[in-house]
Amino acid sequence: MQLYNTLSAEERAIMIDDAGKQRLTLSFYAYAQISDPTQFRNELFLAWNTLEVLGRIYVASEGINAQLSLPADNFYAFKDSIEVYDFMKGIRLNIAVEQDDHSFLKLTVKVRDKIVADGLVDETFDVTNIGIHLKAKEFNELLEDPNTIVVDMRNHYESEIGHFTKAIKPDVDTFRESLPIIEEQLSEHKQDKKLLMYCTGGIRCEKASAYFKHKGFENVYQLEGGIIEYTRQVKAEGLESKFIGKNFVFDHRLGERITDDIVSQCHQCGKPCDVHTNCVNEGCHLLFIQCEECATAMEGCCSAECVSVIHLPEEEQKAIRRGIKNGNKIFKKGKSDVLTFKNSEETHGVFIADKPKIAIKKEQKVKKIYIGKGTHFFPKPSIGQFLIEENEIKIGDTILIKGTTTGEQKLVIEEMLVNDLAQEKAVSGDTCTFKLPFRIRLSDKLYKILD
């Protein structure tokens, strides 16, 4: 009985492309009493593996938390598979704002102590005694109430690239840190203010609202379905979006565009930017915000040290990785000392206040024609491979590589291989490769910039 993945992420990506099926990215959660989480986990894996479900799912005695993707034509079979369980009948499924067939490349179902780590040891705490759920229109209205305090229940690296106007954004790395901090900071307003909370999909607010009610807050509200459902309702009902910027997501996209506002800055130079990336050094992978210019100059790395490492022979890189404890470096998302601008701008208080600056709009689109798509990335030599589907490219052309995670990267082709041979030009049907100062994804598109 197979209860684990047998394919690598790269093999799975190729299978997805070959299948040619549109996939849906979605998320959901449910708090419930599960007597045997391991058995529950095994049942889900077996049912979902046959439906080509891929994603990251956590189950515990307190419920389930799932972010996943599946072929669109398996959607109703998937709904049937979860509605076998009474506590998931009629459950709301949050469909992603932006779709990407490669959002997840493995099916991982893990048993955890809790589906949302809260650090609480309190048997009197009832996680089901939650606050009042608000839909998008009601949430917007309560935002304008002067007696409302709105709190972002996400981590600092999430709220940095997008948030609701007037929101308090705790400067925390984890959800468990935020609970006692918010309680202490707002302890004088347990009776006289309305506490309004939001998060990505609602799961953290669900637990937080119960926690704050447990701690004596009398007027507790939460955004139903989180930012994902809010955005859907805003579009469907023609409402004003009070959320500005991007919504951070926990798959390879690292963000969904909600509005054109750019509310964050490159962690290396300070230029307006909201593109998260991971350092390409295999021994680092620090999560940080990096603009196009810095990505080129720093070769996708977070520091000069990492730039020097990626040019070492592979065996030397492996030796360095074996000799360094990288945990804090990897998981201190966006807070490393090597991030020059971010480090100089670091806020040391508990709450991050909105800076009085004008939101920057995205640059005007350039004239371009579609050429093809990314098919492979070779990390060690830093070479990208593309399939030419339309038109042609040649040495000296300025190209644009565009993707949800990659952003928009421009460069001039100085040399390339076409069907494994050095050539001046690539046409429809050819496979071409050239060196890149950044990592590409299989969902990236290749364009030629027109004069």
Side-chain angles (χ1 to χ4, degrees), residues 263-326:
V263 299
S264 52
Q265 296 165 297
C266 173
H267 286 170
Q268 293 177 316
C269 73
K271 177 183 176 180
C273 179
D274 57 10
V275 178
H276 271 109
T277 189
N278 288 105
C279 178
V280 299
N281 178 8
E282 296 290 344
C284 177
H285 282 180
L286 177 75
L287 178 72
F288 67 108
I289 297 174
Q290 187 179 53
C291 69
E292 181 179 342
E293 287 79 2
C294 288
T296 300
M298 299 296 293
E299 300 183 59
C301 292
C302 67
S303 65
E305 177 188 358
C306 284
V307 173
S308 65
V309 169
I310 66 172
H311 291 292
L312 294 173
E314 182 181 356
E315 289 305 313
E316 290 187 38
Q317 292 187 45
K318 289 181 178 178
I320 291 173
R321 292 200 293 272
R322 285 195 295 268
I324 296 177
K325 300 296 183 183
N326 293 302

Side-chain angles (χ1 to χ4, degrees), residues 196-302:
L196 179 59
M197 295 174 294
Y198 68 90
C199 60
T200 306
I203 186 170
R204 284 175 279 187
C205 289
E206 193 90 352
K207 179 169 282 190
S209 69
Y211 173 80
F212 291 123
K213 287 185 68 176
H214 179 65
K215 290 296 183 177
F217 286 82
E218 295 182 359
N219 304 296
V220 181
Y221 301 84
Q222 65 189 95
L223 178 59
E224 182 180 11
I227 300 163
I228 298 172
E229 176 63 13
Y230 173 88
T231 303
R232 188 196 68 77
Q233 292 180 20
V234 163
K235 291 180 178 179
E237 300 173 25
L239 304 174
E240 177 188 1
S241 177
K242 299 288 187 178
F243 185 96
I244 56 175
K246 291 173 73 174
N247 179 30
F248 186 95
V249 293
F250 292 89
D251 56 56
H252 90 87
R253 297 171 298 157
L254 299 178
E256 296 180 321
R257 172 70 57 193
I258 306 300
T259 71
D260 287 341
D261 305 282
I262 298 178
V263 299
S264 52
Q265 296 165 297
C266 173
H267 286 170
Q268 293 177 316
C269 73
K271 177 183 176 180
C273 179
D274 57 10
V275 178
H276 271 109
T277 189
N278 288 105
C279 178
V280 299
N281 178 8
E282 296 290 344
C284 177
H285 282 180
L286 177 75
L287 178 72
F288 67 108
I289 297 174
Q290 187 179 53
C291 69
E292 181 179 342
E293 287 79 2
C294 288
T296 300
M298 299 296 293
E299 300 183 59
C301 292
C302 67

